[in-house]
Amino acid sequence: MHNRMMITGAGSGLGREIALRWARDGWRLALADVNEAGLSETLALVRQAGGDGFVQRCDVRDYSQLTALAQACEEKFGGIDVIVNNAGVAAGGFFAELSLEDWDWQIAVNLMGVVKGCKAFLAQLERSRGRIINIASMAALMQGPGMSNYNVAKAGVLALSESLLVELRQVEVAVHVVCPSFFQTNLLDSFRGPDPAMKAQVGKLLEGSPISAADIAEHIHAKVAAGEFLILPHEAGRQAWQLKCQAPQRLYDEMAEMAVKMRAKQRRNSH
């Protein structure tokens, strides 16, 4: 290990906090995002925290930008040890109201962005016997109402991670997938959906979270060190996942009731 890490979505939120957590251990970081102002802020904070690195604008929908980022890591760091596929966007709306464009955008960023990140860096990771950390969501495990396109994209990230876990063991590349519940983040800046009331509801969930992005980064740091594959940073998320494993029907019934409430609220807000 040469302590070299690449993070997408590093311009803010969880991506930035992951960068800072590893920076405190003196790592060199390749920071990528579409938000360039946020990136330079992150780099300044990384340097204050004891790390170093470089920034590169990267839209994870574009494979050529990810391969260019991999090339930059090769040139500046001589390779990479850990990649964190963290870039993501929020979405919401009932299935009937979501356009196919909403679906395409969500899958392109949240699922294919991770696929392309893994693909662009795989050769370097095989060489360094490194590790992949994919940021999914509790939505990968618990499909709540009013966000089917987000649920599907994040479930895809989980399935990809499980596939890579078993395929890459032979070449000694470790794989982790993180499923945070809602936490205080600026994910809503990227929110796309047909219904503004849905955005407000998701916002309430995010603000009501007792756990910050920095707490999650700390949890990820500890669990990666312990070699855990499925990382669930939230206690409530761990409990919900246990419930789904033991009594899935109960969970589906609860989610269906939640959908009824969300629809009622939507109707009230539209009058």
Side-chain angles (χ1 to χ4, degrees):
M1 277 277 180
H2 297 280
N3 295 4
R4 304 161 298 188
M5 175 184 260
M6 184 287 291
I7 307 168
T8 63
S12 64
L14 182 58
R16 171 177 288 177
E17 294 300 339
I18 290 171
L20 293 179
R21 181 60 194 85
W22 266 265
R24 293 207 294 278
D25 294 342
W27 281 52
R28 289 182 291 166
L29 303 160
L31 306 167
D33 204 307
V34 287
N35 166 10
E36 294 183 79
L39 273 182
S40 43
E41 250 171 63
T42 301
L43 183 58
L45 291 166
V46 156
R47 287 179 172 149
Q48 280 168 26
D52 200 6
F54 69 95
V55 300
Q56 190 155 317
R57 188 186 185 282
C58 180
D59 182 336
V60 297
R61 292 175 297 180
D62 181 353
Y63 186 59
S64 68
Q65 292 185 33
L66 280 157
T67 54
L69 179 62
Q71 188 57 42
C73 290
E74 190 59 63
E75 284 161 14
K76 293 179 161 78
F77 295 165
I80 206 79
D81 301 292
V82 180
I83 65 166
V84 184
N85 291 304
N86 164 73
V89 288
F94 284 108
F95 181 76
E97 298 146 17
L98 288 171
S99 68
L100 290 176
E101 286 72 26
D102 290 329
W103 275 91
D104 286 343
W105 180 72
Q106 185 54 233
I107 300 288
V109 180
N110 281 5
L111 175 54
M112 291 310 296
V114 178
V115 170
K116 290 169 182 175
C118 291
K119 192 98 181 135
F121 282 89
L122 186 57
Q124 289 184 43
L125 289 168
E126 286 189 8
R127 212 171 60 223
S128 66
R129 298 200 174 104
R131 62 181 74 236
I132 294 169
I133 303 172
N134 291 331
I135 309 298
S137 160
M138 276 311 291
L141 301 168
M142 327 270 306
Q143 289 73 35
M147 46 197 277
S148 55
N149 56 347
Y150 185 80
N151 292 340
V152 168
K154 291 298 191 177
V157 172
L158 175 60
L160 170 69
S161 305
E162 290 178 330
S163 306
L164 294 176
L165 174 72
V166 295
E167 284 188 24
L168 299 181
R169 184 172 289 175
Q170 276 178 300
V171 291
E172 294 179 64
V173 173
V175 180
H176 309 268
V177 63
V178 185
C179 294
S181 307
F182 289 113
F183 59 94
Q184 294 139 1
T185 173
N186 64 338
L187 193 60
L188 277 194
D189 297 350
S190 68
F191 185 93
R192 222 188 247 197
D195 175 28
M198 193 77 75
K199 179 168 181 171
Q201 273 178 288
V202 176
K204 274 207 191 93
L205 276 171
L206 295 175
E207 279 153 28
S209 169
I211 183 169
S212 69
D215 297 331
I216 292 174
E218 190 60 57
H219 187 87
I220 294 169
H221 187 271
K223 295 299 177 185
V224 163
E228 262 181 49
F229 166 67
L230 179 63
I231 299 174
L232 308 178
H234 292 72
E235 181 53 40
R238 293 192 286 272
Q239 286 169 350
W241 175 231
Q242 263 180 326
L243 171 69
K244 185 175 179 179
C245 291
Q246 287 154 9
Q249 197 55 54
R250 249 180 71 197
L251 185 83
Y252 300 140
D253 292 343
E254 263 180 55
M255 293 286 198
E257 276 170 44
M258 200 202 288
V260 171
K261 284 182 192 148
M262 283 164 76
R263 279 216 167 82
K265 195 164 183 180
Q266 200 179 21
R267 277 197 296 275
R268 283 201 304 277
N269 289 342
S270 61
H271 294 316

